[in-house]
Amino acid sequence: MPHYLDDTQRQELTTAAASWHWRTEWPTWLVIGVIYGGWFGVALHAQRLGLTVALPLLAVLSAWYMSLQHELLHGHPTRSPRLNALIGAAPLAVWFPYGVYRRTHLQHHCDHDLTRPWADPESFFVGEHAWTAKRPLMRALMTFRNTFGGRILIGPAFAIVATLGDAVTRIRAGDRRDLPGWLLHIAALALLLVWLDRRCGISPALFLLGASYPALSLSAIRSFHEHRVAVDPAERSVINEAAWPWRLLFLNNNFHAVHHDLPGVPWFALGRVYTRRRSSYHVRNGGYLVRGYGEWLRRFAWRPVAPVAHPLYGASIDDAGLTSARVAGGAADVQPEPGARRRLAQVA
């Protein structure tokens, strides 16, 4: 459900939603055309451009495509989930079937569960029990992943392994709901890789390592600590006042607290919604403001931005969610353990 700051904002956005600009969503259609046209145009002219130019361009366009997929699953530019899925089904970003991404991301939008390892599929935290059970090498890698450099370098590898592992686990458990989507995605990806190889002169290995993986690294810049640990769910999502190239690449998802409050607002309106109520949003999200991705780089290039073990919940809760509290009342009823507020102050 959307969260409006007040009735005035509700009325403003209701009026805006009825405008020609919002109803046609022509900026989103324009982005769709530019991304698809640019991606296939660069691929077709890769030999003329040179692979040292073509591959970075494909990486940027693939990252932009992932931002577009995010808009599509939130109901833009059409209100038809099937049509939006058709637009976002091409495996240009390689690793994640659109349907799987849609399911997990909409689950992520349960704000009460943000950052909770057993409930938020996009959390970078783990339960304390799971953390202490991991081997030293894995703990070191996960700690490195919580640096800005580590998120770019090895964060994509973690995401790929986690997604594939989740798919295998679900199938083994008898849950085959995602299986048709995976099979279609793999078939489409195979055709795309053959076309890139034979028509464009880009081998599968070169595309995966030179364009697709770097695209995930670019997207990881946006998601770096966009959700922090906080008792109040409204204070968990960041507002990043990034420069316009980043805002365009991420389709304004840097205004992440605003997006979580109003997930139905199209990307091209998020910036205006934020700037009209800038101070109010700073109050609402507890002042969780970052002035561009360069600030993350300066502060946390090689230093962890947060602990890997979730600091608000103790060893009685693990990231499988097998707790007496969850069985009795659900994750929403679990309260921070004693001393959690003190630890929160240390990492906020």
Side-chain angles (χ1 to χ4, degrees):
M1 293 292 292
H3 182 281
Y4 301 97
L5 295 175
D6 49 42
D7 287 338
T8 299
Q9 186 186 54
R10 182 195 300 270
Q11 184 57 49
E12 290 174 350
L13 294 180
T14 300
T15 301
S19 67
W20 179 83
H21 192 57
W22 279 37
R23 284 187 293 107
T24 61
E25 290 220 28
W26 68 263
T28 308
W29 288 109
L30 178 60
V31 166
I32 291 170
V34 172
I35 290 175
Y36 269 98
W39 200 98
F40 284 99
V42 169
L44 284 168
H45 295 88
Q47 297 304 312
R48 183 178 302 176
L49 291 169
L51 292 180
T52 56
V53 173
L55 290 175
L57 286 176
L58 286 174
V60 172
L61 288 163
S62 295
W64 202 10
Y65 178 68
M66 285 186 278
S67 298
L68 172 62
Q69 287 180 309
H70 175 262
E71 285 299 298
L72 291 164
L73 65 85
H74 278 295
H76 309 288
T78 82
R79 296 300 176 260
S80 168
R82 291 185 178 181
L83 180 54
N84 287 351
L86 183 63
I87 297 171
L92 305 186
V94 174
W95 305 105
F96 314 115
Y98 173 83
V100 174
Y101 174 41
R102 184 179 187 276
R103 172 179 57 77
T104 58
H105 185 74
L106 293 181
Q107 181 182 346
H108 163 77
H109 266 268
C110 179
D111 283 4
H112 187 88
D113 288 333
L114 281 176
T115 74
R116 291 181 172 181
W118 56 90
D120 179 1
E122 296 183 12
S123 176
F124 287 94
F125 295 94
V126 301
E128 187 174 323
H129 177 75
W131 172 246
T132 56
K134 294 187 183 298
R135 295 181 181 275
L137 177 59
M138 180 55 66
R139 292 170 68 173
L141 289 173
M142 295 181 76
T143 299
F144 179 56
R145 184 183 60 164
N146 270 8
T147 69
F148 193 82
R151 189 63 56 85
I152 293 171
L153 294 173
I154 67 172
F158 270 90
I160 294 166
V161 171
T163 301
L164 295 177
D166 178 71
V168 171
T169 299
R170 286 176 176 274
I171 292 171
R172 286 180 174 176
D175 183 354
R176 292 177 168 80
R177 288 174 294 177
D178 291 338
L179 185 58
W182 270 107
L183 293 176
L184 287 172
H185 181 78
I186 291 170
L189 178 59
L191 291 174
L192 181 66
L193 293 177
V194 169
W195 179 79
L196 285 170
D197 188 25
R198 297 182 179 179
R199 178 64 178 83
C200 306
I202 304 175
S203 70
L206 194 58
F207 173 68
L208 295 177
L209 296 176
S212 181
Y213 194 94
L216 290 184
S217 295
L218 281 173
S219 294
I221 292 174
R222 176 193 58 78
S223 65
F224 182 74
H225 207 50
E226 66 185 3
H227 296 293
R228 67 175 177 178
V229 172
V231 174
D232 184 353
E235 298 183 359
R236 295 175 188 171
S237 300
V238 74
I239 292 172
N240 193 315
E241 295 183 339
W244 74 263
W246 294 111
R247 297 199 305 269
L248 181 60
L249 178 65
F250 300 142
L251 296 182
N252 283 333
N253 205 17
N254 51 289
F255 301 120
H256 209 62
V258 185
H259 167 66
H260 268 263
D261 271 2
L262 302 166
V265 171
W267 68 273
F268 52 82
L270 275 178
R272 179 176 173 82
V273 171
Y274 167 65
T275 55
R276 287 176 65 89
R277 301 295 188 90
R278 186 174 183 272
S279 59
S280 296
Y281 276 112
H282 293 176
V283 172
R284 174 161 169 74
N285 85 331
Y288 189 25
L289 173 69
V290 179
R291 302 187 187 279
Y293 296 101
E295 180 176 335
W296 282 142
L297 176 63
R298 290 190 299 272
R299 295 174 59 191
F300 300 106
W302 309 113
R303 182 166 66 91
V305 68
V308 180
H310 201 296
L312 284 187
Y313 301 94
S316 61
I317 300 175
D318 61 24
D319 54 355
L322 303 176
T323 69
S324 58
R326 185 178 177 93
V327 172
D333 296 326
V334 178
Q335 297 300 316
E337 62 169 323
R341 292 180 182 272
R342 173 179 54 80
R343 291 201 299 277
L344 173 60
Q346 294 173 349
V347 300

